[in-house]
Amino acid sequence: MTSLEDVSLQLNNKISSIKRSLQLKSMGNDPSLATMLQKIGLELAGIQNNLDTFQAQILRQQTEMKSLKDLKNSVQKNSEIAHHLLENIPAHLPKKAAMNSTADPQDDKVKWDPVQPLPEKKPAKPKHSVHEIEYLLMEEFNHVPGYMKGRMTYDQINAVIHELNAAVKAKYKILHQPLKAMANITRNQYNAFKQQETKETKGQYFFVEADIKDFTRLKVDKKLQGIFSILRHCHRLREVRGNHLVRYVLL
């Protein structure tokens, strides 16, 4: 490929040739000069063609450079986003839905021998599973109105959910104990929990402010009430009021 230095040298040589030709023209009206002028015109036309080719190449390279610069900026931006996500992984992630343990014998993925009887499993002892509040997803948090969130962050709300789940577990652990095995203090708690129940809470899991004070480190203040508003907005809780008591029912 011809370099700019070569082009400059070529142009200088052509210009010098033109100057010499013009000087010769002024010496007289020699008919031979007409032929030389025609030759000079052809050389100038060739130079113009070369300049047009170089200009087109420069424009093409400028376009490629702009595309590469845009690509570099895009890669850099994606890298910054990935780095930010890596450094800000939420402390609490939503749990995966439990898979159905029963398999269809007709499913090709399940291999079994129809001749041999399936082994009998001993019935497992019934365990009381306590319903929990599901952690918020980032998408849900982003759709919460700004006047509700205020300065609260995604991690702060999920940290409160973690504490509330602990309170519900502690409360219903007592409710699921047999009365005969309870100490007097535990029996008093059990009776108090039973008195809180209503027709609307039958079969539901709920907590009250007293449970928060007894089983968590949370403060029952305006900030916590604001988080309750967010959890109601995101369909995690609903309120049941009655007998001067607010029950927060898990959805």
Side-chain angles (χ1 to χ4, degrees):
M1 181 181 291
T2 305
S3 64
L4 291 177
E5 184 177 359
D6 294 336
V7 173
S8 177
L9 180 61
Q10 184 180 6
L11 290 175
N12 288 332
N13 291 336
K14 297 296 183 182
I15 292 171
S16 297
S17 178
I18 292 170
K19 286 182 179 180
R20 287 195 297 270
S21 299
L22 292 174
Q23 289 173 356
L24 292 173
K25 180 180 179 182
S26 63
M27 294 174 63
N29 295 323
D30 191 338
S32 61
L33 293 177
T35 303
M36 183 174 289
L37 289 174
Q38 291 178 355
K39 183 178 180 181
I40 291 171
L42 293 174
E43 290 179 351
L44 288 174
I47 292 173
Q48 184 63 45
N49 290 334
N50 290 335
L51 288 175
D52 291 342
T53 301
F54 291 141
Q55 186 176 10
Q57 290 179 351
I58 290 172
L59 290 175
R60 184 167 57 253
Q61 290 178 356
Q62 287 176 343
T63 302
E64 291 177 354
M65 287 292 293
K66 184 178 182 303
S67 299
L68 290 174
K69 186 176 180 180
D70 292 341
L71 179 61
K72 177 184 176 182
N73 293 336
S74 177
V75 171
Q76 185 175 1
K77 184 177 180 180
N78 290 335
S79 177
E80 291 174 355
I81 293 174
H83 186 69
H84 175 75
L85 292 175
L86 182 62
E87 292 184 345
N88 295 273
I89 298 176
H92 304 286
L93 295 175
K95 296 181 178 179
K96 293 183 178 179
M99 295 181 64
N100 189 359
S101 60
T102 59
D104 186 357
Q106 302 299 327
D107 191 348
D108 293 335
K109 296 181 180 179
V110 180
K111 296 182 179 180
W112 64 296
D113 186 356
V115 177
Q116 297 295 331
L118 294 174
E120 295 183 1
K121 293 184 178 180
K122 294 182 180 179
K125 294 182 179 180
K127 294 183 179 179
H128 297 288
S129 59
V130 178
H131 183 54
E132 295 184 358
I133 305 172
E134 293 184 1
Y135 294 108
L136 287 190
L137 301 176
M138 181 59 73
E139 182 178 0
E140 292 177 299
F141 177 77
N142 291 336
H143 283 83
V144 174
Y147 73 88
M148 281 190 181
K149 289 188 289 189
R151 296 183 179 180
M152 286 183 288
T153 65
Y154 172 77
D155 288 335
Q156 287 174 339
I157 295 175
N158 277 335
V160 170
I161 291 177
H162 180 76
E163 291 287 331
L164 296 177
N165 283 334
V168 173
K169 286 181 180 179
K171 175 179 180 176
Y172 282 89
K173 181 179 180 181
I174 293 174
L175 285 171
H176 291 154
Q177 288 182 13
L179 285 173
K180 295 181 180 179
M182 290 183 184
N184 290 333
I185 297 177
T186 306
R187 185 177 287 106
N188 291 336
Q189 287 179 308
Y190 177 90
N191 292 331
F193 296 155
K194 283 296 185 180
Q195 291 176 2
Q196 297 168 359
E197 295 179 353
T198 66
K199 292 181 179 179
E200 292 185 67
T201 63
K202 186 176 181 180
Q204 306 292 321
Y205 290 89
F206 70 92
F207 62 89
V208 298
E209 290 186 0
D211 300 328
I212 298 173
K213 295 176 181 179
D214 292 341
F215 300 116
T216 74
R217 297 166 295 178
L218 298 174
K219 294 182 179 179
V220 181
D221 52 14
K222 290 183 178 180
K223 183 177 180 181
L224 184 61
Q225 293 298 330
I227 292 178
F228 286 164
S229 297
I230 293 174
L231 296 181
R232 289 196 301 271
H233 176 80
C234 295
H235 305 290
R236 296 297 194 275
L237 297 175
R238 68 180 177 92
E239 291 184 0
V240 174
R241 297 175 179 266
N243 297 328
H244 307 288
L245 189 66
V246 180
R247 301 159 184 84
Y248 299 95
V249 182
L250 279 61
L251 298 178

